[in-house]
Amino acid sequence: MILKQEKGKIIIKIDKIEENEIRNKLQEYINKGLKEIVENNQVILDLGDLGLNESEFKSILKIFNSFSLPIDIIRNTNPITKMISINYGIPVDAPSVINTQNKLIPQTTVNNDKNSSIGSDSKLGNKIVENTLNQDILIYRRNIRSGSLLESEKTILVVGNVNSGAEVRSARNIIVLGKLMGTAHAGYPNNNSSIIFTLKLKNPIIKIANMVAEFDENEIKKQLQSKEISNILFYQDNNSIRMEIIKEQKE
Amino acid sequence: MGKLKRSIVVTSGKGGVGKTTITANVGTALALLNYQVVLVDADVGLRNLDLILGLENRIVFDLSDVIENRCRSYKQALIKDKRVGNLFLLPAPQTKQKEDIPLDKFKELIEEIKQEFDFVIIDCPAGIEHGFKMSAKAAEEAIVVTTPDLSSIRDADRVIANLEAMGKNSTKLIINRMKKHMVKKSQMLSIEDILETLNIELLGIIPDDEYITISTNNGEPVVLNKTKPLYKYFNNIANRLVDPSIPIENPFNEGNIFQKFASLVGLKKTKY
Ligand SMILES: Nc1ncnc2c1ncn2[C@@H]1O[C@H](COP(=O)(O)OP(=O)(O)OP(=O)(O)O)[C@@H](O)[C@H]1O
Ligand SMILES: [Mg+2]
């Protein structure tokens, strides 16, 4: 457990559910005067990407209650734990900042370079490789349901669908091995070298850093003269979001 | 014979998708199959279940009378259906607010009723606020109802997420108001589309049929008359609640759709 103080905020970060350890540490901090600091600050409980079930969540709340420590906000990237937190009436979110919007024009590229991860005629080049290299990836292996927010500092790989009304938010990249029907916000809040890739999509909301793309699915399908679009890559270039359909080259 | 002691909440997120209609008809169908059934109206302040069952003028005590100990036992508040002997209704108070019923008291009550019956089915109010939490926490199992439109599906998805957060992982789905001609012309979301998004087990499909309105206005669940349309769909759902291996009654008999169901329903079991 780590304690941090930012302007107006006390952040208590927990990275293991060890009830005794949490209790002992809190007692230690309280002995050092935590209560007095808490009075004039917002208390943020940072649970990182711990996936807590309801009883674990409750037991943590109980510990805080037993010390009469309030929790104002919970930080956690696991959608289920977030939902539990919301059910217990503790807010979990921070608002996003979007300044600009642009209309998407689809471009088709062919992946014919075995050494490149992206179509070689793509404007993106090898940016994604640099951007992701040596960075941890958060792998989420289920569908993300409406009302849930999956958030991480890491690149997020979703093996499943992002449903309409759900949001995935990463400080780096978002890769969806499934269907993107909700919101994907990569490069949050201001990393414009981030990318979003999805196998399939349906009326998604695409945000990269401080930009949101205007996505008109019908118009895009018309332009591409196809009913189904798949393997779609989004990235920022020249202050606008680009969309590429990556086609496998036929042998 | 021992009692099944099952408690099930019927919920949806979006309002007006057929929760009350389904609670009344599936409950009646279960009673006709000789199970002991209690239907609990948890839509405090907006009760409807009594109307659909035609029991509205027999209410003496209601849910809040039981919770606030104004009657001796919950049994005093149960209204016995005259047509189907083993069907009972616990009506909702009409002059109260949802928040007036404490979550834990309601859960205790459902636990108590459950001990003496096969099924306690809770008709949940729309939304994801107090009334939903109260109903969902009290029941062990959940049925989510959706119609084939995007807003209803998205709300159902949100409700399923909430149920999962409560540790309920065996929620089943009923798709209500499927329209035959629209499915054929693919003007409507298909069953596969819906299952792809919601990714839970399908319990049954109920077609859209305006006869429901007539039956509701007469206070007579359609399942009371085997010749009525929709009888077999509600009856199928009741049977599948007891035995999930019974095939789904498909209103649109399009042969191989069934196989696709099987694979989609199977999806649920693939833990990623
Ligand atoms: N399969 C169906 N075909 C035609 N009409 C239906 C069908 N199912 C329900 N309805 C009609 O839809 C309306 C709403 O149904 P119902 O009251 O059961 O929904 P509800 O989900 O309980 O609503 P609320 O959220 O307000 O409690 C009613 O008029 C009912 O008759
Ligand atoms: Mg209702």
Side-chain angles (χ1 to χ4, degrees):
Chain A
M1 189 159 80
I2 310 166
L3 199 67
K4 267 199 302 195
Q5 188 168 13
E6 283 172 13
K7 46 181 182 322
K9 292 175 193 159
I10 289 286
I11 302 164
I12 304 173
K13 187 164 168 51
I14 293 179
D15 42 21
K16 263 202 310 273
I17 317 286
E18 280 282 352
E19 285 185 38
N20 283 334
E21 198 187 313
I22 295 172
R23 202 171 283 122
N24 293 342
K25 276 274 184 188
L26 277 180
Q27 186 63 59
E28 204 177 289
Y29 289 133
I30 286 171
N31 293 344
K32 288 181 187 161
L34 177 62
K35 284 256 175 85
E36 287 83 80
I37 316 173
V38 160
E39 297 237 316
N40 310 311
N41 287 283
Q42 197 178 36
V43 180
I44 300 176
L45 177 62
D46 187 345
L47 296 169
D49 51 19
L50 287 177
L52 276 66
N53 61 29
E54 190 168 1
S55 69
E56 288 169 328
F57 189 85
K58 253 163 113 178
S59 68
I60 296 216
L61 284 194
K62 263 204 193 129
I63 297 174
F64 275 75
N65 275 338
S66 70
F67 289 112
S68 307
L69 273 176
I71 301 172
D72 297 310
I73 294 180
I74 289 212
R75 275 193 196 155
N76 184 260
T77 61
N78 186 294
I80 297 215
T81 309
K82 275 190 173 179
M83 203 60 86
I84 294 172
S85 175
I86 292 165
N87 278 340
Y88 277 80
I90 305 175
V92 276
D93 201 9
S96 63
V97 248
I98 293 293
N99 303 327
T100 35
Q101 177 168 11
N102 77 281
K103 198 169 177 144
L104 284 172
I105 303 154
Q107 177 202 350
T108 310
T109 59
V110 179
N111 182 9
N112 52 10
D113 181 350
K114 291 272 183 306
N115 299 319
S116 160
S117 47
I118 304 294
S120 56
D121 44 350
S122 160
K123 283 222 168 59
L124 185 64
N126 276 334
K127 252 194 218 163
I128 181 188
V129 182
E130 291 160 23
N131 177 2
T132 313
L133 213 62
N134 292 330
Q135 300 300 337
D136 283 341
I137 293 187
L138 178 83
I139 302 178
Y140 196 72
R141 289 161 159 269
R142 44 190 303 165
N143 291 352
I144 302 174
R145 297 193 182 278
S146 176
S148 311
L149 170 69
L150 175 64
E151 189 181 17
S152 179
E153 295 292 309
K154 304 169 183 173
T155 283
I156 299 176
L157 171 63
V158 180
V159 187
N161 299 337
V162 179
N163 286 357
S164 170
E167 179 165 353
V168 180
R169 186 191 289 165
S170 163
R172 300 187 177 277
N173 311 297
I174 295 170
I175 300 157
V176 181
L177 299 184
K179 199 166 183 176
L180 176 59
M181 299 173 273
T183 301
H185 193 168
Y188 177 84
N190 53 19
N191 178 3
N192 55 18
S193 67
S194 294
I195 66 112
I196 296 168
F197 176 82
T198 184
L199 289 183
K200 292 209 163 112
L201 48 70
K202 188 173 184 189
N203 292 321
I205 297 172
I206 301 293
K207 298 176 181 174
I208 295 177
N210 64 348
M211 297 199 71
V212 59
E214 191 187 321
F215 190 89
D216 185 335
E217 189 156 333
N218 288 332
E219 199 185 304
I220 286 169
K221 282 180 179 166
K222 226 184 273 166
Q223 280 188 40
L224 291 168
Q225 297 177 336
S226 101
K227 272 200 202 138
E228 270 282 318
I229 26 181
S230 48
N231 299 337
I232 311 110
L233 173 72
F234 301 95
Y235 60 95
Q236 261 203 40
D237 181 56
N238 267 335
N239 258 324
S240 67
I241 298 182
R242 290 181 173 275
M243 171 184 184
E244 280 182 26
I245 315 291
I246 298 166
K247 293 226 158 109
E248 198 60 51
Q249 195 191 33
K250 299 242 154 55
E251 295 287 323
Chain B
M1 208 178 74
K3 298 277 184 278
L4 294 180
K5 301 181 186 175
R6 290 174 65 179
S7 53
I8 306 174
V9 59
V10 179
T11 179
S12 67
K14 193 173 160 75
V17 298
K19 295 177 292 296
T20 306
T21 308
I22 287 169
T23 305
N25 280 285
V26 173
T28 307
L30 282 165
L32 289 169
L33 294 169
N34 274 327
Y35 292 103
Q36 297 280 324
V37 182
V38 177
L39 306 181
V40 179
D41 192 343
D43 203 345
V44 174
L46 292 167
R47 74 175 174 216
N48 279 160
L49 198 51
D50 52 329
L51 280 177
I52 297 193
L53 292 165
L55 301 173
E56 71 274 20
N57 49 23
R58 293 179 44 205
I59 298 178
V60 182
F61 293 112
D62 60 39
L63 181 59
S64 72
D65 294 319
V66 179
I67 299 258
E68 291 162 18
N69 296 320
R70 279 189 293 273
C71 47
R72 263 175 287 122
S73 122
Y74 74 84
K75 285 182 185 157
Q76 219 183 350
L78 292 186
I79 305 165
K80 187 175 165 126
D81 193 296
K82 282 201 177 122
R83 298 152 298 195
V84 196
N86 38 349
L87 178 67
F88 300 84
L89 169 70
L90 179 56
Q94 189 65 335
T95 55
K96 292 262 175 178
Q97 305 277 319
K98 301 211 163 33
E99 290 72 18
D100 294 341
I101 314 283
L103 298 182
D104 48 343
K105 283 266 173 62
F106 185 73
K107 189 179 161 88
E108 277 167 31
L109 174 64
I110 299 299
E111 286 293 322
E112 186 189 346
I113 302 178
K114 204 174 78 177
Q115 301 310 318
E116 305 206 25
F117 289 86
D118 294 308
F119 288 94
V120 178
I121 306 181
I122 306 170
D123 180 19
C124 176
I128 49 173
E129 293 79 28
H130 185 89
F132 161 74
K133 282 182 200 161
M134 174 182 96
S135 312
K137 289 199 174 202
E140 236 143 54
E141 304 166 51
I143 294 175
V144 169
V145 181
T146 187
T147 55
D149 61 275
L150 284 173
S151 58
S152 165
I153 293 165
R154 189 201 268 189
D155 291 356
D157 195 40
R158 169 114 208 210
V159 160
I160 296 165
N162 276 275
L163 290 165
E164 283 174 355
M166 292 178 194
K168 292 182 175 31
N169 294 315
S170 61
T171 303
K172 297 193 166 95
L173 182 72
I174 293 179
I175 303 174
N176 190 20
R177 310 196 72 161
M178 284 300 282
K179 293 196 179 78
K180 212 166 193 161
H181 61 281
M182 292 180 84
V183 172
K184 285 223 170 98
K185 290 187 201 146
S186 55
Q187 286 167 326
M188 192 185 252
L189 283 167
S190 72
I191 289 157
E192 291 146 67
D193 292 337
I194 300 171
L195 289 177
E196 187 194 359
T197 298
L198 298 180
N199 196 26
I200 59 172
E201 202 171 319
L202 184 62
L203 181 62
I205 308 159
I206 302 163
D208 191 78
D209 194 314
E210 56 191 20
Y211 182 78
I212 286 267
T213 317
I214 304 170
S215 106
T216 301
N217 290 340
N218 292 341
E220 186 155 306
V222 288
V223 289
L224 286 175
N225 189 335
K226 286 193 183 178
T227 64
K228 292 297 181 226
L230 298 192
Y231 162 81
K232 61 177 176 186
Y233 303 104
F234 288 116
N235 194 49
N236 175 245
I237 289 172
N239 275 303
R240 279 176 48 76
L241 271 175
V242 185
D243 180 1
S245 70
I246 292 170
I248 293 173
E249 189 72 56
N250 182 2
F252 312 108
N253 273 329
E254 282 158 41
N256 61 7
I257 272 196
F258 262 129
Q259 262 142 23
K260 286 189 179 158
F261 278 161
S263 65
L264 281 165
V265 171
L267 245 184
K268 201 206 119 221
K269 300 202 175 78
T270 348
K271 275 253 170 359
Y272 290 109

